[in-house]
Amino acid sequence: MTTTCFTRPAFTARVVPVIVLSDEAQAVPLAHALLEGGIDVMEITLRSGVALRAIEAVARAVPRMHLGAGTVTRAAEVAQVMNAGAKFALSPGCSEALVEAVKAARLPFIPGVMTPSEVMRARDHGFTLMKLFPAAQAGGIAMLKALGAPLPDVRFCPTGGVSPENLREILALPNVAMAGGSWLTPSEALRQGDWKRIARLAREATTLATAV
């Protein structure tokens, strides 16, 4: 799971929480709750105005957490997330400008793909780990199986439509390295500061993932 320029961060979890925060004060207790549940990676998405401050807070206070920045869609955001403390980045897509930026910065990057042609273009850039997004709309498990035969050297992190109900079946596929999902951090649990609930959801996901 390497590219021509860098290696994927060494987190152990096979479930990547996809997180949208409304308050940066949520970030550090959330990171601790995920770690308590056995998940050592988090993707804080740039979908809110507090995302960079939240990344900074976790990078400073929870060094054990493998911290990724999600929804990175512009080249200029690469430097921003790195300066905030992100150790890798993910995107729903893969533009030439973005690829040039992450390679210049040597930032581990998981590009988003949806079609075989997009997979092949990302592979030509040296990426062998990609984010199938939106996974459900792209065909889900059937699409992942179909991609496996002609493109056996590529592995995926399907995101979008992943749930506890289909997690084990998805992770059992040989070309799936990990899966991303937002169910681990429900918005109401974040608002209420219900870290015990999030730790429980993380433990449940960890149990499902290790049973594959």
mmCIF file of all heavy atoms in Angstrom, residues 104-105 117 134 145 163 167 174 180 200:
data_model
loop_
_atom_site.group_PDB
_atom_site.id
_atom_site.type_symbol
_atom_site.label_atom_id
_atom_site.label_comp_id
_atom_site.label_asym_id
_atom_site.label_seq_id
_atom_site.Cartn_x
_atom_site.Cartn_y
_atom_site.Cartn_z
ATOM 1 N N ALA A 104 4.669 16.886 -4.035
ATOM 2 C CA ALA A 104 5.681 17.882 -3.672
ATOM 3 C C ALA A 104 5.857 17.947 -2.160
ATOM 4 O O ALA A 104 6.971 18.117 -1.649
ATOM 5 C CB ALA A 104 5.290 19.251 -4.221
ATOM 6 N N ALA A 105 4.747 17.801 -1.430
ATOM 7 C CA ALA A 105 4.793 17.869 0.033
ATOM 8 C C ALA A 105 5.164 16.540 0.671
ATOM 9 O O ALA A 105 5.399 16.479 1.872
ATOM 10 C CB ALA A 105 3.435 18.326 0.566
ATOM 11 N N SER A 117 -11.554 3.783 -15.120
ATOM 12 C CA SER A 117 -10.620 4.739 -15.728
ATOM 13 C C SER A 117 -9.983 5.621 -14.675
ATOM 14 O O SER A 117 -8.778 5.926 -14.747
ATOM 15 C CB SER A 117 -11.355 5.606 -16.762
ATOM 16 O OG SER A 117 -11.758 4.832 -17.874
ATOM 17 N N PRO A 134 -18.518 7.876 -4.145
ATOM 18 C CA PRO A 134 -19.307 7.269 -3.058
ATOM 19 C C PRO A 134 -19.522 5.794 -3.342
ATOM 20 O O PRO A 134 -19.996 5.422 -4.430
ATOM 21 C CB PRO A 134 -20.611 8.054 -3.086
ATOM 22 C CG PRO A 134 -20.729 8.556 -4.492
ATOM 23 C CD PRO A 134 -19.341 8.727 -5.026
ATOM 24 N N LYS A 145 -15.803 -6.130 -6.234
ATOM 25 C CA LYS A 145 -15.478 -7.442 -6.789
ATOM 26 C C LYS A 145 -15.115 -7.328 -8.263
ATOM 27 O O LYS A 145 -14.170 -7.968 -8.742
ATOM 28 C CB LYS A 145 -16.665 -8.394 -6.606
ATOM 29 C CG LYS A 145 -16.904 -8.836 -5.172
ATOM 30 C CD LYS A 145 -18.095 -9.767 -5.082
ATOM 31 C CE LYS A 145 -18.315 -10.253 -3.658
ATOM 32 N NZ LYS A 145 -19.516 -11.138 -3.562
ATOM 33 N N SER A 163 -21.783 0.472 6.626
ATOM 34 C CA SER A 163 -22.520 0.441 7.885
ATOM 35 C C SER A 163 -22.147 -0.822 8.657
ATOM 36 O O SER A 163 -21.494 -1.719 8.101
ATOM 37 C CB SER A 163 -24.031 0.431 7.609
ATOM 38 O OG SER A 163 -24.407 -0.816 7.017
ATOM 39 N N LEU A 167 -20.305 -4.116 6.973
ATOM 40 C CA LEU A 167 -18.880 -3.902 7.196
ATOM 41 C C LEU A 167 -18.072 -5.188 7.042
ATOM 42 O O LEU A 167 -17.036 -5.201 6.357
ATOM 43 C CB LEU A 167 -18.650 -3.305 8.590
ATOM 44 C CG LEU A 167 -17.187 -3.038 8.965
ATOM 45 C CD1 LEU A 167 -16.571 -2.005 8.029
ATOM 46 C CD2 LEU A 167 -17.088 -2.567 10.419
ATOM 47 N N PRO A 174 -10.756 -9.210 -0.826
ATOM 48 C CA PRO A 174 -9.286 -9.162 -0.838
ATOM 49 C C PRO A 174 -8.706 -7.831 -1.283
ATOM 50 O O PRO A 174 -7.551 -7.531 -0.964
ATOM 51 C CB PRO A 174 -8.909 -10.281 -1.818
ATOM 52 C CG PRO A 174 -10.121 -10.513 -2.654
ATOM 53 C CD PRO A 174 -11.278 -10.225 -1.761
ATOM 54 N N GLY A 180 -14.298 3.397 5.282
ATOM 55 C CA GLY A 180 -14.608 4.640 5.977
ATOM 56 C C GLY A 180 -16.091 4.749 6.259
ATOM 57 O O GLY A 180 -16.912 4.278 5.473
ATOM 58 N N ARG A 200 -18.311 3.055 22.532
ATOM 59 C CA ARG A 200 -19.007 1.780 22.323
ATOM 60 C C ARG A 200 -19.143 1.455 20.832
ATOM 61 O O ARG A 200 -18.907 0.324 20.403
ATOM 62 C CB ARG A 200 -20.403 1.835 22.960
ATOM 63 C CG ARG A 200 -21.127 0.481 22.902
ATOM 64 C CD ARG A 200 -22.538 0.568 23.420
ATOM 65 N NE ARG A 200 -23.420 1.225 22.455
ATOM 66 C CZ ARG A 200 -23.980 2.417 22.629
ATOM 67 N NH1 ARG A 200 -23.755 3.109 23.737
ATOM 68 N NH2 ARG A 200 -24.773 2.917 21.705
#
